[in-house]
Amino acid sequence: HIEEGFKDDTNADLFALHKEQLSWGMDIFDEYDAKLTIESAQPFAKAVINSESSILTDALERGHGVGTHCGSEVKGNTVAQLAEAYETNKNYIDQIIGEEKNKGCSGGWEETDYVQAATQAGFAYLDGVVYFAYLAMDVEYRPEQISDEDIRDIYYHDPVILEFSDHIYPRFLEDAQDFVEDADGELVLLNGELGEFSTLSEGRKNCFPNCTLNEEDFQVIYDAIDEANEIRDSNRVAHLYVHIPVKHYDEENEELFRSFLAHMQELQDAGKIEWATQKEVYEAKLS
């Protein structure tokens, strides 16, 4: 995620740093036949356009994914207003990689029906699904009838859905009433998020913003893969992913990244996982 709070469009040094970090990340992922999906909010996208940088088009050519990030600037009291806010973010990425390649967005969770709004804006999938997504649902459809206040103050960035045997499957939705797959749904909810890379073993709310990346975080991922493979329906697309903040793409983390990616490569070689971009998972769900 290249976040909405970043100032890439007004700070050339920051933009240069983020490009360097992304290039480093892609380089090391390429070594292990692994894939990233880079999802950008407005500031970084504006900087790419203004500077005519090829960082995101290069990412696609290298086999990585590119999509839109929809954070706190995506708001609306009606579906039409929220759709317009989604579309504003989408248009910047469309200018860079083309509308046909920019199929999805991470975030944009609101009390307003984000499924209908994202669909109207032209998105085909949403990912990065967290507790904020429950705000559009009546209390009866939330875990333990959790309140808006608790979602905003306590659980906001925790992944959903709680039942792991349901959590791992993308699903078609026609609205944000609940997370039950809809036969007539057009938008794909790419569920399966495990959380932020360096927070997996501690839980984000317990350590943010000073969480430490370590092998214990990786073990959470390995355990989730083992569990998913044990319980999954082989006739359905199962999906797991983590959010890796761009700050982690740094040489000081090289040993940790190599340890993680080498183990994941072993799992891929053994047929236990398959790397994919978010768009590729969406396409697999369609098929």
Side-chain angles (χ1 to χ4, degrees):
H1 291 172
I2 312 297
E3 308 281 355
E4 69 274 13
F6 294 171
K7 306 296 183 182
D8 296 87
D9 54 335
T10 58
N11 186 328
D13 291 339
L14 183 62
F15 181 50
L17 173 62
H18 287 154
K19 288 192 297 179
E20 181 182 342
Q21 290 169 323
L22 289 176
S23 294
W24 187 91
M26 287 190 284
D27 286 346
I28 198 166
F29 268 60
D30 285 347
E31 286 188 46
Y32 295 90
D33 193 28
K35 295 187 179 185
L36 294 168
T37 297
I38 303 167
E39 294 169 319
S40 174
Q42 292 184 30
F44 185 81
K46 289 177 181 178
V48 168
I49 293 168
N50 293 339
S51 67
E52 298 183 345
S53 170
S54 63
I55 184 71
L56 296 181
T57 50
D58 287 348
L60 288 179
E61 290 176 2
R62 295 171 68 162
H64 298 287
V66 174
T68 307
H69 182 64
C70 299
S72 59
E73 79 279 48
V74 179
K75 293 186 178 296
N77 294 322
T78 67
V79 169
Q81 290 173 345
L82 185 57
E84 183 178 359
Y86 268 123
E87 192 170 4
T88 298
N89 276 31
K90 184 178 186 297
N91 285 340
Y92 286 108
I93 306 300
D94 285 354
Q95 291 179 56
I96 299 168
I97 64 171
E99 183 179 356
E100 72 283 356
K101 296 179 181 178
N102 181 30
K103 292 292 188 182
C105 185
S106 175
W109 318 114
E110 271 289 316
E111 295 179 5
T112 310
D113 194 314
Y114 47 81
V115 171
Q116 294 182 2
T119 303
Q120 288 185 22
F123 284 124
Y125 69 82
L126 291 176
D127 64 51
V129 196
V130 296
Y131 258 77
F132 278 136
Y134 282 120
L135 291 173
M137 300 180 191
D138 291 339
V139 172
E140 63 183 295
Y141 296 110
R142 303 175 186 176
E144 299 180 353
Q145 299 186 341
I146 192 170
S147 68
D148 286 6
E149 292 74 18
D150 282 348
I151 291 173
R152 296 185 187 280
D153 296 340
I154 302 173
Y155 301 103
Y156 55 96
H157 221 268
D158 287 357
V160 298
I161 298 162
L162 296 184
E163 185 60 47
F164 190 73
S165 60
D166 191 24
H167 175 75
I168 61 178
Y169 298 114
R171 65 217 47 219
F172 288 104
L173 294 180
E174 61 181 349
D175 55 42
Q177 176 180 316
D178 55 40
F179 287 138
V180 178
E181 185 157 39
D182 297 314
D184 297 325
E186 296 181 14
L187 183 130
V188 175
L189 193 76
L190 287 185
N191 212 53
E193 178 171 357
L194 296 177
E196 190 174 315
F197 205 38
S198 63
T199 73
L200 297 176
S201 63
E202 304 100 321
R204 188 176 191 267
K205 66 175 72 68
N206 298 321
C207 61
F208 185 81
N210 298 311
C211 306
T212 302
L213 182 64
N214 52 45
E215 294 283 353
E216 286 75 17
D217 296 314
F218 305 156
Q219 191 61 50
V220 174
I221 300 172
Y222 307 149
D223 290 344
I225 291 169
D226 286 342
E227 183 177 357
N229 278 324
E230 182 177 339
I231 66 174
R232 65 168 297 202
D233 179 349
S234 60
N235 294 315
R236 301 172 66 185
V237 176
H239 182 217
L240 293 173
Y241 59 101
V242 294
H243 167 215
I244 306 177
V246 67
K247 66 181 181 181
H248 291 312
Y249 298 124
D250 187 276
E251 289 182 357
E252 69 177 17
N253 291 324
E254 181 172 351
E255 184 176 346
L256 283 167
F257 267 98
R258 290 192 181 281
S259 172
F260 167 66
L261 291 169
H263 187 80
M264 293 292 281
Q265 189 172 47
E266 291 176 0
L267 294 176
Q268 179 164 250
D269 291 344
K272 295 182 178 180
I273 67 164
E274 179 179 353
W275 282 101
T277 66
Q278 297 289 60
K279 180 173 176 285
E280 288 171 339
V281 178
Y282 157 72
E283 292 169 343
K285 175 63 177 176
L286 287 188
S287 64

